[in-house]
Amino acid sequence: MNILVTGGAGYIGSHMARYILRRKLRPVILDNLVYGHKESLPPRIKFYRGDIADQKLVSKIIRQEKIEAVMHFSAYAYVGESVTNPRKYYENNFSKTQKLLDTLLDNNVAHFIFSSTCATYGAPDTKKISEKLPQNPINPYGFTKLAVEKMLADYSQAYGLRYAALRYFNAAGADDDGAIGEAHAPETHLIPLALQSILNPEKQLKIFGADYPTPDGTCVRDYVHVYDLAAAHLQALDYIARRKTSDCFNLGSENGYSVREIISACEKASGLKVNCQETGRRAGDPAYLVADSGKAHKILGWQTSYDLEKIIATAWQWEKHRRY
């Protein structure tokens, strides 16, 4: 199968491309390299530099590469930036995605896997989040992801597009051999920030809030390895193609870890201390964001294979030897 991976030079997309290759399928990468790194792509992979809204280019790729399905990772994902510059997020995450979907329909590509987010749920007053909870995003990033989910549902009903919207919790970790990993600029994720603080003690890690109603006062989050996410994408693609249906799934480990527990795990993995300091809460940060992934387990047969120790071990291996 030939699979177009949009945003395939980014963090999750590049791991997805490698995972597809390991399953003896063929990924084709489209990325504008605004945030992606061409260096993260496997050798000899077919790569196109361009924008998902370039309908002429996307049509050409579909025809030339005989694309049968699309996995869509081309989104901006900085929550704070989405608040200060919502125009950027609605244009890229929603408007350009609509152009991409229209191009797929015009070229008879009927299978679409969407990289969504638990941010579509907002700040629910519960420790575990299932797909049954209402979606009430609290920032433009979450709104744009939810808007695409609504568009997908409408396109599915009207045009027969088959899709799976995969609502990630905290993607983490790196390739087992240390070849690729997280390389965001700026970096906002806790695990790489903690490990970078170990390697560069002048980079102080800030703990945003220590007075939450959690066991140690810091926020609790669910971390899932990037290759476990990749596995879910192929399982979801198989499901929607085989069953000729569409659906939405939460993807998380179902285990919650506090900020302090993550810092402690990073210190254990490295044998060194994290330079950290407590500061005030960030607006809109819920105390708990932990997945109920039972639906994905039951319907897709999806299971995670990386525990927190292994997630951090792969991230530490990457941070020590990162190449860009």
Side-chain angles (χ1 to χ4, degrees), residues 108-289:
N108 300 310
V109 177
H111 299 105
F112 189 80
I113 309 298
F114 177 52
S115 170
S116 192
T117 172
C118 65
T120 63
Y121 294 108
D125 187 20
T126 180
K127 289 187 178 181
K128 279 202 171 182
I129 298 171
S130 78
E131 294 86 350
K132 295 178 181 178
L133 287 178
Q135 291 173 282
N136 295 306
I138 58 174
N139 52 64
Y141 167 65
F143 273 110
T144 60
K145 290 287 191 174
L146 180 56
V148 172
E149 286 195 23
K150 298 296 187 184
M151 179 167 56
L152 285 169
D154 290 339
Y155 274 42
S156 179
Q157 182 175 0
Y159 310 121
L161 177 71
R162 304 302 180 195
Y163 74 92
L166 305 181
R167 298 169 187 158
Y168 309 161
F169 281 66
N170 286 43
D175 189 76
D176 295 307
D177 63 9
I180 58 172
E182 289 198 66
H184 300 119
E187 183 58 73
T188 60
H189 294 169
L190 176 59
I191 290 174
L193 285 174
L195 295 175
Q196 289 167 20
S197 176
I198 287 171
L199 292 168
N200 301 286
E202 69 276 8
K203 290 186 176 181
Q204 191 175 67
L205 175 70
K206 292 183 178 179
I207 298 174
F208 293 103
D211 58 350
Y212 285 93
T214 63
D216 66 16
T218 63
C219 291
V220 172
R221 296 292 182 264
D222 184 328
Y223 297 85
V224 57
H225 194 273
V226 64
Y227 275 145
D228 282 330
L229 291 178
H233 282 70
L234 282 187
Q235 288 172 300
L237 178 57
D238 175 72
Y239 173 71
I240 65 172
R242 182 168 38 84
R243 297 291 297 271
K244 295 181 170 55
T245 190
S246 298
D247 215 331
C248 303
F249 301 95
N250 286 347
L251 298 180
S253 70
E254 300 188 295
N255 297 304
Y257 298 95
S258 73
V259 173
R260 292 193 191 282
E261 287 175 319
I262 294 298
I263 291 171
S264 177
C266 289
E267 292 176 337
K268 181 180 178 181
S270 65
L272 299 167
K273 297 294 289 184
V274 176
N275 177 17
C276 57
Q277 182 183 30
E278 293 179 7
T279 186
R281 293 188 186 190
R282 291 181 300 195
D285 267 352
Y288 288 89
L289 279 178

Side-chain angles (χ1 to χ4, degrees), residues 16-17 33 65 73 79 100 124 167 176 223 242 289 308:
M16 188 75 242
L33 300 183
E65 307 298 338
F73 301 93
V79 170
L100 174 64
R167 298 169 187 158
D176 295 307
Y223 297 85
R242 182 168 38 84
L289 279 178
L308 182 66

Side-chain angles (χ1 to χ4, degrees), residues 16-31:
M16 188 75 242
R18 289 171 182 260
Y19 190 87
I20 291 170
L21 284 172
R22 291 171 187 175
R23 294 303 181 271
K24 310 302 182 186
L25 303 172
R26 180 172 176 262
V28 175
I29 307 303
L30 173 63
D31 198 299

